[in-house]
Amino acid sequence: MKHWELAQHSAELGFTPRDAVRWLSPIALGRTGLKVAAATLFADFGDKRELEAGLPGEPLYLDRLPLPGQAAQPAVMDKGLPAPDELRSRGEALAQMAGTQAKELWLDFTADLGDGFDATYSVALLLAQERLEVAGDTLPRGNVLVLGGDEVYPVASPERYEDKMVGPYRKAFPTPAPGDSDTPPPGTCPPATLMLALPGNHDWYDGLTSFIRLFTRQRSIGAWRTVQSRSYFGVRLTGGPGSPGWWVLGLDSQLGQYIDEPQLEYFYRNVTTQLQPGDAIILCLASPYWVYSDSPSASAFRQVNFFEQDYLRRRFNPTTGRFEDTGASVRLWLSGDLHHYSRFEQDVPAYGSGAAPEGLRTQLVTCGLGGAYLADTSELPEEIILPTPITSPNVSASLPTPDLGSAGRKFSRTPVSYPSCDDGRRMGRRLANPLSPFWLPARNPGFGPLLGLIHVLFFLAGWTVFSSFRGRSLMDTLGSLEGAGLARPLIFGVLGPLVLLGALALLWKLFGTSSVVRDRKGLVTFLRGVLYQLAAMGVGLVVVAVLHWPPGWPQFLGALFALAVTFVSGWVLGSEAFALFILGTRGGEVATWMMSGQSVEDHKGFLRIHLAPDGALTVYPLAIDEICRDWALETTSDGVRPVPAKGATAAGLPAVRLLETPISISREGISP
């Protein structure tokens, strides 16, 4: 059965399977726009992260987990800023009480997941499998699942979280049947399976209310246990006092705002002061800010750079008033937000972009393939430059980085991306193909009729202005056009806008690099969109002008006929013109509509990460080329749940493959 048939069993499932968001549908656009406007206003005047200072902020240990369902833990009441040695001694004492961290661990990472049921549940099912056999390797299920942001679409609400994220993940990995004994749930990971979540911009569109209630109360989502107490987290995965290992951190950047003080205090107490030489960090961000860093002084990366330099590479000692090195480094950066897979790796000075000893390079990985629409990769830069570490113990990274040209840490884009640039462009062209199911008005209900209505309104407005000067009725005006033949409507209605489009393109080609024109790129894009629509309206005007109707028709029937032709041409030709406008736009928000307007549900994936006993880390990027769309119901200890009715594997699951050769990362790399 299809997902809409599953929705008829919502009472048994406990949630309602939903269709994927149609991003250019007028209703979806309107609702999302209102929520985004409200969330942006809230972010400016009421940052809910400041209120999280009242939530528990105790450190998390994999071998001393909080009890399931215990919403409150002892809070840290001391708000002073002790010296690192004092906090470090406290942390070591707690770590010794907790025991020794795991020597080997598996970690899963997925992001941008809570959209259509078919895609989200296909990914969740594969994440929940005890093991996956991929390219001859056996990959056990992750002991920790990290959700990298945007757990629900298009905007957050309790109902959407339940239907689009919680319900599918609960059924994908159902709670085991309760035994006859009173054995308490496991207090360590492993064997417990944990879920850590980071909020993305779509989670923030209700002010983070639903996210906090869902992920910070130590409740289970199926067999995954949530253990964090705030919208950010820091967990030591391996190692311990005197034994360096790996950490995973999740930073809440709240719609690109400054990092709040409670969050900085949380990381200072629980991570910064506990870092030791040789520690390696997996840093998870809600957005790949590095993609927008074409120079070390780029503002997009400034807050993340401040956090890395002043809280991870170094720590402030209030006793001496100076920064001191921690000896730790961020070896793997992870993010979603952009719905594709791409990777940048560090250019080691001694080797450039050529071959270097395996595992030395720091990696920047974007993997937003958890369920939302597929995005293009052709607009990604080939090289990015991040600021170099600060060496002065008296200088904070919170100060703006001076523009040093190309000096900085260089990262080069690797050849493998998903989708590839060629595949992305090929899929993008479907938006303007009327014979494709991904054609713009076919994929976005209501878009064509809305454009048709807009064309009718502009037609009436234009006729009103014209008749006010000529004193003619609509039928008289149309009659004059008919008598003039095709020349006038073709010249003024079609060729005129096309000539202006060409002039705009030439202007941009000649002067696009100047600041005067570049700073008005949004205006130029808007004018291009208007001219595309005027050309489409001109074609409709030509059709109206050349059609003949019986001379005895009443004027109102002729007017209705003209408006009907305008409406249909606006629906069909206006939609096609808008699709061509999108395909012809390079960069910016409009360019992203090429893929979001198609709501591509196939081509999903996630990362499976292995932390070996020797400290080496291996990333397995996994792809699902085709999701499951046919389901059956089976009965489990947790009630009924959907299972694939057919699939490409023996178990009926969607086929999964490696995107590229597994990526090795050593715990210690080469200093930039």
Side-chain angles (χ1 to χ4, degrees):
M1 63 182 74
K2 302 299 184 181
H3 72 267
W4 58 83
E5 297 174 288
L6 282 177
Q8 300 173 10
H9 299 269
S10 58
E12 304 166 71
L13 293 171
F15 70 98
T16 302
R18 301 289 184 182
D19 195 8
V21 176
R22 300 295 189 253
W23 288 97
L24 296 185
S25 170
I27 295 177
L29 274 176
R31 290 176 177 173
T32 304
L34 290 174
K35 276 280 191 176
V36 170
T40 304
L41 182 66
F42 179 87
D44 290 337
F45 295 100
D47 191 342
K48 189 165 287 186
R49 294 176 305 174
E50 303 286 355
L51 304 180
E52 292 187 63
L55 297 177
E58 289 290 324
L60 294 173
Y61 297 102
L62 295 185
D63 42 10
R64 194 183 60 168
L65 301 176
L67 295 176
Q70 181 184 353
Q73 300 178 40
V76 178
M77 301 305 295
D78 179 12
K79 297 298 181 183
L81 192 66
D85 290 340
E86 180 182 346
L87 281 173
R88 192 180 305 117
S89 63
R90 295 185 198 174
E92 290 177 357
L94 289 171
Q96 290 170 356
M97 290 171 56
T100 304
Q101 298 290 335
K103 297 184 181 300
E104 182 179 20
L105 209 67
W106 287 84
L107 185 78
D108 286 338
F109 177 89
T110 189
D112 306 287
L113 52 141
D115 199 350
F117 172 80
D118 291 335
T120 298
Y121 195 63
S122 294
V123 173
L125 272 178
L126 290 167
L127 288 168
Q129 298 305 302
E130 187 174 354
R131 62 182 56 84
L132 296 173
E133 301 292 337
V134 183
D137 291 324
T138 300
L139 309 180
R141 178 177 55 233
N143 306 109
V144 179
L145 170 60
V146 177
L147 306 180
D150 289 346
E151 279 76 60
V152 67
Y153 286 93
V155 292
S157 71
E159 180 184 11
R160 287 195 180 94
Y161 268 113
E162 190 64 34
D163 290 343
K164 294 196 167 192
M165 185 269 155
V166 176
Y169 272 72
R170 185 178 66 240
K171 292 301 182 182
F173 194 19
T175 305
D180 296 330
S181 65
D182 294 329
T183 305
T188 64
C189 172
T193 308
L194 306 185
M195 176 185 287
L196 299 171
L198 187 65
N201 57 306
H202 291 271
D203 301 290
W204 265 100
Y205 289 157
D206 73 339
L208 208 63
T209 300
S210 300
F211 181 95
I212 290 176
R213 291 172 180 171
L214 180 60
F215 293 108
T216 67
R217 294 184 175 179
Q218 286 74 55
R219 294 174 179 172
S220 296
I221 298 176
W224 280 294
R225 285 171 56 180
T226 63
V227 294
Q228 67 195 81
S229 58
R230 300 189 181 184
S231 61
Y232 37 86
F233 55 83
V235 184
R236 175 178 282 280
L237 299 173
T238 61
S243 176
W246 285 89
W247 292 75
V248 60
L249 311 183
L251 188 66
D252 182 1
S253 53
Q254 195 244 17
L255 302 176
Q257 300 290 318
Y258 289 109
I259 304 174
D260 55 290
E261 290 303 318
Q263 185 171 186
L264 293 175
E265 181 190 4
Y266 170 91
F267 282 112
Y268 179 83
R269 291 175 177 275
N270 298 326
V271 178
T272 307
T273 57
Q274 309 305 319
L275 292 173
Q276 53 192 350
D279 273 346
I281 299 166
I282 304 169
L283 182 56
C284 304
L285 305 174
S287 183
Y289 298 105
W290 55 81
V291 170
Y292 314 107
S293 299
D294 54 356
S295 71
S297 60
S299 59
F301 197 73
R302 185 173 300 162
Q303 285 299 305
V304 179
N305 178 62
F306 157 65
F307 181 73
E308 180 201 11
Q309 306 246 21
D310 285 6
Y311 283 81
L312 301 180
R313 288 184 174 273
R314 306 183 302 167
R315 56 176 157 248
F316 182 74
N317 191 328
T319 303
T320 62
R322 296 161 65 90
F323 287 94
E324 56 189 32
D325 290 336
T326 63
S329 60
V330 180
R331 300 289 290 119
L332 175 61
W333 301 70
L334 296 178
S335 182
D337 193 44
L338 300 181
H339 306 167
H340 59 233
Y341 171 82
S342 63
R343 179 167 64 91
F344 291 80
E345 66 178 7
Q346 180 185 11
D347 288 353
V348 180
Y351 305 94
S353 58
E358 188 177 30
L360 291 182
R361 301 179 187 274
T362 298
Q363 304 289 334
L364 314 176
V365 180
T366 303
C367 186
L369 298 170
Y373 68 87
L374 186 68
D376 186 29
T377 58
S378 60
E379 296 291 335
L380 292 175
E382 292 298 323
E383 181 182 86
I384 58 176
I385 304 176
L386 304 183
T388 54
I390 296 175
T391 56
S392 171
N394 300 313
V395 178
S396 169
S398 61
L399 301 175
T401 304
D403 190 352
L404 301 177
S406 61
R409 291 177 286 171
K410 294 184 179 180
F411 291 78
S412 297
R413 180 180 172 184
T414 58
V416 177
S417 59
Y418 190 68
S420 67
C421 294
D422 290 339
D423 286 343
R425 283 189 286 265
R426 176 182 56 80
M427 287 188 284
R429 289 193 290 270
R430 301 181 304 190
L431 188 72
N433 182 1
L435 302 180
S436 169
F438 294 95
W439 187 39
L440 176 61
R443 197 64 172 165
N444 298 274
F447 186 88
L450 177 63
L451 265 184
L453 180 61
I454 292 174
H455 278 220
V456 168
L457 294 176
F458 272 87
F459 180 84
L460 290 173
W463 166 70
T464 301
V465 173
F466 184 82
S467 63
S468 66
F469 288 100
R470 294 295 188 94
R472 293 180 177 180
S473 67
L474 176 60
M475 294 304 296
D476 291 337
T477 303
L478 294 176
S480 67
L481 288 176
E482 181 184 355
L486 290 176
R488 189 182 300 174
L490 272 177
I491 292 174
F492 293 101
V494 181
L495 295 180
L498 293 179
V499 169
L500 291 176
L501 269 175
L504 268 180
L506 182 62
L507 174 69
W508 185 261
K509 187 176 181 64
L510 294 176
F511 305 104
T513 56
S514 69
S515 59
V516 176
V517 178
R518 188 176 63 248
D519 293 344
R520 290 163 176 79
K521 182 179 179 180
L523 176 61
V524 173
T525 301
F526 173 76
L527 291 176
R528 287 181 56 250
V530 170
L531 290 172
Y532 269 96
Q533 291 305 307
L534 288 177
M537 289 180 63
V539 175
L541 184 62
V542 169
V543 174
V544 171
V546 299
L547 287 178
H548 299 270
W549 49 81
W553 270 24
Q555 287 203 0
F556 78 92
L557 285 180
L560 287 177
F561 177 77
L563 294 178
V565 172
T566 303
F567 178 78
V568 173
S569 69
W571 183 328
V572 178
L573 300 178
S575 296
E576 182 67 11
F578 198 89
L580 293 173
F581 159 65
I582 293 174
L583 296 183
T585 302
R586 293 288 176 265
E589 180 66 25
V590 173
T592 66
W593 298 348
M594 178 180 71
M595 298 299 286
S596 65
Q598 299 184 51
S599 298
V600 180
E601 296 184 81
D602 285 321
H603 310 289
K604 296 297 172 274
F606 57 93
L607 306 178
R608 183 147 288 178
I609 302 171
H610 180 220
L611 300 174
D614 63 358
L617 180 148
T618 306
V619 181
Y620 296 86
L622 303 178
I624 310 163
D625 293 319
E626 186 175 354
I627 63 171
C628 181
R629 290 180 171 84
D630 293 302
W631 307 97
L633 291 176
E634 75 169 11
T635 302
T636 69
S637 59
D638 194 32
V640 299
R641 74 166 189 152
V643 293
K646 58 182 180 180
T649 65
L653 296 168
V656 61
R657 66 176 178 87
L658 275 173
L659 271 170
E660 61 174 324
T661 303
I663 306 148
S664 298
I665 305 174
S666 59
R667 192 165 41 78
E668 296 187 73
I670 295 179
S671 300

